[in-house]
């Protein structure tokens, strides 16, 4: 069959005003048959998006396509004038961007925007285009396909918006669709829905697509062929199966290894607690409740203990209250109920009410190192401040300690004269960590510290944190949406759903690789099952297992019920929609907030201790 | 701050090689700043000496910019007026910006009633047209240099406050401010060490703009006869007292007007070049 896309010797370079050109894509060749899905995979900076954009004859600001040829259908893209390219973009080739939320105009209805390119390219009348859009909404499994187009972008969820963007791209029946990290910004549970919708549409319409991603497991579900990129060069170009099973290139193999999180867990879990055994836990949270708007709690009745040298993980989807939880521990959010104790001493609700010593002992590492470091200060000044502030160090002493801290996070001392903007993402995150260490804290709260980083860089940061825990006897509270990260490094993991702690269990028990699985809260099950696995065909099986919901009667209004009820695949009519679940504590230290009879699943009845018997919600609320 | 100023200087100088406008701006501004200092000493005649028998005389070797309505040398009068125009405007601008930026930072750092009080007071001030305000001030207290400075400073403070506050509010939401708060830093440390350096450039741009406005305000006050009082004269009063020269096409009225124009254009060109980062690519 004839190739639809032929790319030969593509070269893209950054052309600074002064100095030499910096090549970012170095002579890339590939071709794509009609109906094929090709994936471009690599770390940030590998040139994958640049290549995808150049297929539309576009280079980002400062970049220039300096050589090669690109043919899509009968169009020779690189020789076309910008006027002619306008006719191709959106018509022959369409693009689905990473952030649908940023790609939609909030002031216009969804339908207007979805059919816009059909009207611009005059492929159909408004009426026809709208009919076609509704058909696409059906195919993409969007709720209420007849009327969703009348809504505005803020009235639909992120996952729905991403699918609507796919409808926008497909409305003109383009020859080629480019998907640029379309699910990276989504939660795993949403990602699975979106991937499924994409896959179905791509297959049914026999669409030719280029899928850009950093996540090999996601790509394995979508692509027929995979191109592995590094530093703007093709490392390997073969079928998905070959890449997954028998990677030829060394780099591909290392990428596979970094992404398979089920490698034997490092010293994180196996290591026993180093701290001297004390009766009072280092940090204790009791019955914490936080409200932003009076009467609407975003966190409900959360308990947590962190012992010395222990690492506790907190996972949940976006909006589950993970960050709010950490922020209320450090005092950035005030709580409406509950207590927090540090070494048995109660901590004040506000920052002003805490002593300098208390502030020093709990350090918070922010998710985004780009905004957490003052861009106008040098690294030396950033690290020196906590030293002077908490420990009253001066002059020579500060310099020595800064050098020590830098070597602790494995950075050269020379970096202290530079500013944050001159550092890479991983280096910035290390500085972020070093600043927390400068205070010599007892516990560090880490808010998604690796989620903005590449897999390999993120793994190195985790490695570093593990070493520091050993040498400095630190405790961590580790917040993440990535169950793979959390399970490999945490002694215990707390699962938050919609502000409630639905489960707490040992970190190792969350391991994805087979073995004996503990009984789980249905939400934890959903989370675990939604993590893409590095094998083809995973998507189909996984989606089946979590798509069917038992039918239940209408829930009584104004009742405090299980928060997961509307999505639970194990809900029981008459129980789950009538009464509030209670906390179950098991002998192995696991806590679950659910109605299900866990003893039956685990087969060990005597293990179950039912703390508070399930009381009818009506009673407690009237 | 020292390093910030140094890097700014490096940036200003490196901009000249890039932009003709910036170079012209820099030359004009530095010329007038120099004249503000040495002008009175290098002027050929005394500002108030009647040196020419010819009123509204033409340009000549003896009187390079002609003579005024009483036969005084225009060049000398402009040079003697420079410290008034630039000095008064500079002091007023610095006062307006310092007051505006500090109150803006305080308002941004303290939400609640402190912010509300400062903001509403500034809003009340901003609602009074600056020229009306200046007229009222001069009418009530009589015209003097300190009063002119105070008037211009008060009239232009709210604008500076507004800009500083909105910039500071944006910076305050960034994580490194939260880090500083979590460390237990005091409010003054946070606003001066963490926030201010991050709004330095736009505040400087605003400073330049405000300087131009104040020069124009003072000139128009002088033009109305309410600014610097005779026999002293700033550029605005030079334009006014020689307004009759317009009919005769004499340079007496043109020259001070050109002085005002070159200063404001020069400052504007210089400001424009500050907004562009040295390594910013203009696209393709």
């Amino acid at each position: 069959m004839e190739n639809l896309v032929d790319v030969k010797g593509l070269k893209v370079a950054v052309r600074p005003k002064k100095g030499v050109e910096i090549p970012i894509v170095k002579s890339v060749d590939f071709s794509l048959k009609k109906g094929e899905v090709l994936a471009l995979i690599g770390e940030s900076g590998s040139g994958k998006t640049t290549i995808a954009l150049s297929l539309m004859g576009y280079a980002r600001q400062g970049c220039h396509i300096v050589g090669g040829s690109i043919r899509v259908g009968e169009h020779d893209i690189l020789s076309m004038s910008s006027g002619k390219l306008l006719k191709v973009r959106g018509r022959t080739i369409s693009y689905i961007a990473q952030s649908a939320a940023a790609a939609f105009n909030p002031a216009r209805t969804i339908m207007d925007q979805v059919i816009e390119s059909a009207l611009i390219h005059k492929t159909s009348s408004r009426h026809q285009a709208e009919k076609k859009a509704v058909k696409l909404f059906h195919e993409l499994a969007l709720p209420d396909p007849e009327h969703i187009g009348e809504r505005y972008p803020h009235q639909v969820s992120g996952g729905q918006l991403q699918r609507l963007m796919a409808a926008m791209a497909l409305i003109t029946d383009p020859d080629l669709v480019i998907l640029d990290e379309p699910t990276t910004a989504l939660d795993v549970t949403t990602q699975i829905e979106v991937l499924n919708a994409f896959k179905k549409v791509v297959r049914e319409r026999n669409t030719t697509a280029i899928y850009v991603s950093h996540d090999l497991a996601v790509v394995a579900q979508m692509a027929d062929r995979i191109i592995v990129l590094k530093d703007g060069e093709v490392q390997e170009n073969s079928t998905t199966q070959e890449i997954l099973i028998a990677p030829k290139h060394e780099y591909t193999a290392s990428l596979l290894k970094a992404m398979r999180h089920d490698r034997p867990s490092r010293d994180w879990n196996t290591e026993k607690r180093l701290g001297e055994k004390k009766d009072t836990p280092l940090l204790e949270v009791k019955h914490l409740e936080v409200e932003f708007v009076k009467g609407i709690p975003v966190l409900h009745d959360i308990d947590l203990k962190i012992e010395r040298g222990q690492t506790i993980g907190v996972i949940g989807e976006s909006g589950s209250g993970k960050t709010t939880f950490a922020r209320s521990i450090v005092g950035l959010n005030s709580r409406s109920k509950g207590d927090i104790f540090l070494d048995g001493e109660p901590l004040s609700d506000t920052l002003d009410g805490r002593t300098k010593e208390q502030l020093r002992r709990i350090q918070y590492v922010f998710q985004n190192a780009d905004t957490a470091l003052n861009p106008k200060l040098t690294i030396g000044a950033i690290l020196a401040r906590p030293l002077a502030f908490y420990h009253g160090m001066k002059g020579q002493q500060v310099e020595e300690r800064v050098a020590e801290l830098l070597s602790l996070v494995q950075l050269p001392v020379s970096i202290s004269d530079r500013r944050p903007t001159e550092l890479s993402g991983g280096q910035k995150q290390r500085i972020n960590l070093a600043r927390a260490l400068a205070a010599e804290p007892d516990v560090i709260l880490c808010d998604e510290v690796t989620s903005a980083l590449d897999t390999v860089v993120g793994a190195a940061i985790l490695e570093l944190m593990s070493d520091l825990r050993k040498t400095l006897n630190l405790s961590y509270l580790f917040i993440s949406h990535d169950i793979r990260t959390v399970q490999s490094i945490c002694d215990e993991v707390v699962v938050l759903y919609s502000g409630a702690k639905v489960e707490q269990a040992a970190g190792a028990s969350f391991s994805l690789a087979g073995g004996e699985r503990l009984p789980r809260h249905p939400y934890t099950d959903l989370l675990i099952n939604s993590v893409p696995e590095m094998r083809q065909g995973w998507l189909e099986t996984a989606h089946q297992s979590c798509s069917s919901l038992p039918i239940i009667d209408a829930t009584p209004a104004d009742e405090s019920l299980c928060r997961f009820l509307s999505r639970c695949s194990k809900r029981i009519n008459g129980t789950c929609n009538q009464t509030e679940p209670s906390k179950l504590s098991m002998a192995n230290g696991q806590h679950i907030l659910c109605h299900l009879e866990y003893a039956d699943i685990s087969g060990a009845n005597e293990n179950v201790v039912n703390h508070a018997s399930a009381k009818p919600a009506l009673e407690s609320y009237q | 701050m020292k390093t910030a100023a140094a890097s700014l200087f490096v940036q200003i100088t490196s901009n000249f090689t890039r932009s003709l406008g910036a170079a012209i701006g820099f030359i004009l501004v530095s010329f007038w700043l120099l004249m503000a200092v040495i002008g009175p000493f290098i002027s050929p005649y005394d500002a108030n000496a009647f040196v020419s028998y010819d009123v509204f005389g033409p340009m000549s070797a003896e009187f390079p910019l002609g003579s005024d309505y009483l036969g005084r040398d225009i060049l000398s009068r402009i040079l003697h007026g420079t410290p008034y125009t630039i000095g008064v405007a500079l002091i007023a601008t610095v006062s307006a910006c310092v007051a505006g930026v500090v109150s803006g930072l305080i308002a941004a750092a303290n939400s609640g009633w402190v912010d509300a009080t400062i903001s509403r007071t500034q809003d009340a001030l901003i609602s009074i047209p600056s020229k009306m305000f200046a007229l009222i001030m001069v009418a009530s207290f009589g015209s003097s240099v300190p009063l002119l400075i105070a008037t211009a400073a008060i009239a232009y403070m709210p604008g500076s406050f507004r800009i500083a506050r909105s910039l500071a509010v944006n910076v305050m939401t960034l994580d490194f401010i939260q880090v500083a708060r979590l460390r237990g830093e005091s409010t003054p440390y946070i606003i001066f060490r963490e926030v201010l350096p991050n709004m330095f450039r736009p505040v400087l741009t605003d400073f330049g703009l405000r300087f131009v406005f104040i020069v124009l305000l003072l000139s128009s006050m002088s033009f109305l006869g309410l600014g610097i009082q005779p026999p002293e004269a700033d550029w605005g009063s030079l334009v006014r007292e020689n307004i009759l020269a317009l009919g005769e096409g004499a340079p007496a009225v043109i020259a001070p007007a050109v002085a005002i124009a070159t200063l404001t254009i020069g400052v504007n060109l210089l400001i424009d070049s500050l907004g562009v980062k040295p390594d910013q690519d203009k696209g393709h």
Side-chain angles (χ1 to χ4, degrees):
Chain A
M1 198 162 67
E2 237 252 284
N3 289 338
L4 177 75
V5 180
D6 269 313
V7 175
K8 284 201 186 84
L10 178 66
K11 284 183 193 149
V12 185
V14 175
R15 213 175 262 167
K17 279 200 171 161
K18 279 183 241 167
V20 261
E21 272 184 6
I22 305 156
I24 50 175
V25 173
K26 303 160 192 163
S27 191
V28 165
D29 308 271
F30 62 90
S31 57
L32 188 56
K33 291 193 183 70
K34 201 168 163 40
E36 216 177 14
V37 179
L38 173 84
L40 298 176
I41 188 157
E43 291 173 18
S44 52
S46 61
K48 50 191 194 303
T49 298
T50 310
I51 295 173
L53 288 173
S54 60
L55 283 170
M56 297 197 293
Y58 180 79
R60 277 178 288 194
Q61 274 219 343
C63 298
H64 299 267
I65 300 172
V66 290
S69 72
I70 297 173
R71 186 186 62 80
V72 178
E74 70 270 27
H75 306 285
D76 180 7
I77 299 289
L78 296 186
S79 67
M80 290 168 91
S81 66
S82 52
K84 276 187 181 156
L85 276 173
L86 281 183
K87 293 205 175 74
V88 173
R89 292 178 187 158
R91 172 73 191 86
T92 315
I93 309 169
S94 60
Y95 183 76
I96 299 177
Q98 175 168 0
S99 169
F104 273 90
N105 179 346
R108 297 175 62 200
T109 62
I110 287 165
M111 182 58 91
D112 271 352
Q113 301 183 56
V114 167
I115 63 171
E116 194 177 20
S117 62
L119 300 183
I120 289 172
H121 295 289
K122 299 193 178 66
T123 54
S124 54
S125 69
R126 173 173 276 275
H127 181 69
Q128 281 172 319
E130 281 181 7
K131 257 170 79 178
K132 190 165 169 195
V134 170
K135 195 164 158 264
L136 275 167
F137 296 161
H138 269 289
E139 287 174 25
L140 287 161
L142 282 158
D144 192 14
E146 305 289 336
H147 299 107
I148 196 168
E150 293 159 22
R151 299 199 214 163
Y152 286 89
H154 68 272
Q155 293 172 311
V156 301
S157 72
Q160 289 166 2
L161 216 48
Q162 203 71 48
R163 278 179 275 170
L164 287 164
M165 195 150 157
M168 191 198 271
L170 293 168
I171 195 88
T172 53
D173 288 321
D175 296 338
L176 178 67
V177 181
I178 297 167
L179 301 101
D180 191 353
E181 303 259 18
T183 63
T184 306
L186 304 174
D187 281 316
V188 277
T189 48
T190 319
Q191 168 170 287
I192 204 169
E193 304 284 329
V194 174
L195 282 180
N196 231 338
F198 281 177
K199 183 147 197 187
K200 185 165 158 254
V201 171
V202 164
R203 189 176 302 146
E204 279 174 9
R205 300 185 158 253
N206 197 23
T207 312
T208 316
I210 290 182
Y211 197 104
V212 178
S213 178
H214 71 283
D215 191 338
L216 201 48
V218 166
V219 158
Q221 313 309 317
M222 301 295 295
D224 303 314
R225 291 183 75 77
I226 296 179
I227 289 180
V228 181
L229 291 161
K230 191 187 183 216
D231 300 332
E233 281 174 291
V234 174
Q235 306 293 318
E236 185 162 357
N237 177 356
S238 24
T239 64
T240 305
Q241 208 166 2
E242 274 179 277
I243 294 244
L244 290 181
I245 294 164
K248 286 192 200 83
H249 201 278
E250 209 175 296
Y251 178 69
T252 318
S254 74
L255 210 59
L256 274 168
K257 201 170 151 237
M259 284 176 180
R260 289 199 206 276
H261 277 258
D262 294 324
R263 61 205 143 158
S265 9
R266 295 176 298 264
D267 345 343
W268 281 93
N269 314 325
T270 49
E271 174 188 356
K272 278 292 142 217
R273 273 153 225 172
L274 294 164
E276 64 273 40
K277 196 74 183 160
K278 270 196 184 180
D279 290 340
T280 45
L282 179 60
L283 189 75
E284 187 170 16
V285 179
K286 279 186 181 161
H287 307 296
L288 179 73
E289 193 172 299
V290 175
E291 289 175 349
F292 289 129
V293 181
K294 195 119 193 75
I296 310 170
V298 291
L299 285 181
H300 315 263
D301 192 20
I302 296 194
D303 297 308
L304 188 76
K305 276 183 197 166
I306 304 179
E307 307 283 352
R308 274 177 187 70
Q310 203 182 20
T311 302
I312 305 272
V314 178
I315 55 167
E317 298 172 354
S318 52
S320 60
K322 315 183 283 290
T323 298
T324 310
F325 178 51
R327 287 173 65 97
S328 44
I329 292 178
V330 294
L332 280 173
N333 287 342
S334 59
R335 52 186 187 259
S336 50
K337 268 185 211 155
D339 298 292
I340 300 172
F341 300 93
L342 180 67
D343 247 344
E345 281 174 49
L347 282 178
S348 160
D349 187 25
T350 57
L351 282 175
D352 295 337
R354 297 189 181 188
T355 64
K356 208 168 172 181
E357 185 64 9
Q358 287 171 335
L359 292 171
R360 178 187 70 75
R361 294 179 64 185
I362 309 178
Q363 289 291 312
Y364 192 102
V365 178
F366 281 83
Q367 170 173 10
N368 198 339
D370 289 326
T371 56
L373 303 175
N374 190 338
K376 298 287 171 187
L377 297 180
T378 61
I379 300 303
I382 288 171
L383 295 180
R385 182 61 193 174
L387 297 175
F389 187 78
Y390 289 127
H391 307 298
M393 290 187 188
K394 284 195 187 89
Q396 185 68 29
Q397 215 182 350
V398 170
E399 265 173 53
E400 279 167 18
R401 183 75 181 126
V402 166
E404 239 172 76
L405 285 167
L406 284 171
S407 70
L408 207 57
V409 295
Q410 295 155 16
L411 288 173
V413 178
S414 59
I415 216 166
S416 67
D417 295 328
R418 292 161 74 183
R419 281 168 214 279
T421 42
E422 300 163 36
L423 306 186
S424 73
Q427 287 175 323
K428 273 186 266 194
Q429 202 57 274
R430 280 165 197 264
I431 297 297
N432 211 0
L433 202 59
R435 177 173 54 187
L437 294 172
E440 293 171 22
D442 292 331
V443 53
I444 301 184
L445 312 192
C446 305
D447 189 357
E448 303 260 18
V449 284
T450 59
S451 58
L453 303 173
D454 280 326
T455 327
V456 178
V457 181
I461 295 275
L462 292 181
E463 208 85 46
L464 171 67
M465 288 175 61
S466 152
D467 293 345
L468 292 172
R469 183 171 83 147
K470 267 187 288 178
T471 47
L472 304 174
N473 192 21
L474 288 169
S475 303
Y476 294 116
L477 181 76
F478 197 93
I479 297 170
S480 178
H481 67 280
D482 184 358
I483 202 162
R484 291 179 294 194
T485 316
V486 165
Q487 64 91 7
S488 68
I489 65 165
C490 293
D491 299 313
E492 277 193 65
V493 174
V494 170
V495 183
L496 286 186
Y497 181 75
S498 181
K501 186 170 109 177
V502 295
E503 182 168 347
Q504 178 168 2
S509 72
F510 284 79
S511 171
L512 310 173
E516 201 175 322
R517 277 203 180 174
L518 284 178
R520 288 267 169 240
H521 188 279
Y523 175 64
T524 315
D525 262 338
L526 176 66
L527 272 184
I528 294 178
N529 292 336
S530 300
V531 176
E533 284 173 30
M534 204 91 68
R535 61 180 168 86
Q536 283 179 295
W538 164 83
L539 184 61
E540 286 74 6
T541 49
H543 189 253
Q544 269 169 7
S545 70
C546 46
S547 55
S548 59
L549 298 179
I551 296 155
I552 50 166
D553 300 334
T555 51
D558 306 325
E559 291 303 341
S560 167
L561 296 170
C562 175
R563 288 157 199 290
F564 191 55
L565 182 64
S566 60
R567 288 170 66 187
C568 184
S569 60
K570 289 178 182 156
R571 58 195 183 186
I572 307 163
N573 195 18
T575 307
C576 291
N577 53 352
Q578 293 297 331
T579 54
E580 195 181 1
S582 55
K583 267 182 208 164
L584 299 171
S585 300
M586 310 210 186
N588 59 3
Q590 197 182 8
H591 302 272
I592 298 182
L593 187 70
C594 191
H595 280 300
L596 296 177
E597 296 285 325
Y598 284 91
D600 294 348
I601 306 171
S602 65
N605 237 329
E606 62 277 10
N607 276 356
V608 179
V609 189
N610 200 334
H611 265 340
S613 58
K615 52 182 186 255
L618 283 171
E619 233 175 72
S620 54
Y621 279 84
Q622 279 183 350
Chain B
M1 291 303 277
K2 204 173 167 185
T3 50
S7 74
L8 198 78
F9 180 75
V10 170
Q11 191 215 312
I12 291 172
T13 41
S14 74
N15 267 339
F16 303 137
T17 53
R18 276 158 222 283
S19 152
L20 184 66
I24 295 172
F26 184 74
I27 291 166
L28 285 174
V29 170
S30 17
F31 170 74
W32 282 121
L33 283 176
L34 184 69
M35 285 306 124
V37 180
I38 63 164
F41 304 105
I42 59 161
S43 73
Y45 307 96
D46 186 71
N48 294 312
F50 303 103
V51 286
S52 166
Y53 293 104
D54 195 7
V55 293
F56 296 141
M59 293 185 194
S60 62
E62 204 180 347
F63 308 114
L65 294 175
S67 58
D68 79 345
Y69 73 117
L70 293 174
R72 293 173 292 194
D73 177 39
I74 283 290
L75 176 65
S76 302
R77 284 186 70 74
I78 289 180
L79 288 177
H80 279 279
T82 313
Y84 282 113
T85 298
I86 292 181
V88 171
L90 203 61
I91 296 170
T93 317
V94 168
S95 321
C97 285
V98 168
V101 169
V102 169
S103 55
L105 283 167
I106 292 171
N110 299 282
S111 51
W113 65 270
V114 178
D115 181 22
T117 312
I118 299 178
S119 295
R120 294 301 84 74
T121 313
Q122 299 275 9
D123 284 351
L125 278 177
I126 213 169
S127 66
I128 308 171
S130 56
K131 242 161 240 144
M132 295 280 261
F133 178 72
L135 291 178
I136 293 165
M137 291 289 280
V138 173
S140 344
F141 301 107
S143 183
S144 66
V145 169
L147 179 97
L148 285 173
I149 292 174
T151 306
I154 294 171
Y156 281 99
M157 173 183 60
S160 174
F161 163 80
R162 274 274 147 234
I163 288 176
R165 184 180 171 278
S166 64
L167 285 169
V169 162
N170 281 338
V171 178
M172 289 296 284
T173 60
L174 295 176
D175 287 343
F176 61 83
I177 302 297
Q178 310 249 18
V179 172
R181 287 183 56 209
L182 276 176
R183 196 158 56 223
E185 299 284 5
S186 63
T187 306
Y189 177 89
I190 291 179
I191 60 178
F192 290 113
R193 293 285 306 171
E194 303 275 358
V195 180
L196 191 58
N198 283 290
M199 43 190 273
F200 202 63
R201 192 186 305 276
V203 162
L204 207 74
T205 310
D206 175 64
F207 175 86
L209 270 178
R210 226 151 277 285
F211 176 75
V212 172
F213 287 140
I214 288 178
V215 167
L216 293 178
L217 173 75
L218 292 173
S219 297
S220 51
M221 290 295 291
S222 297
F223 181 79
L224 294 174
L226 303 169
I228 306 292
Q229 294 303 305
E232 302 305 328
D234 71 347
W235 298 348
S237 22
L238 288 180
V239 174
R240 183 187 64 98
E241 62 191 21
N242 294 309
I243 193 78
L244 286 173
L246 272 181
E248 305 187 13
V253 67
I254 311 291
V258 167
I260 294 173
T262 48
L263 177 66
T264 50
I265 290 170
V267 172
N268 267 310
L269 287 172
L270 195 64
I271 295 165
D272 284 349
S273 70
L274 289 183
V276 186
K277 285 186 195 155
D279 51 3
Q280 195 168 323
D281 193 14
K282 293 221 173 82
H284 45 176

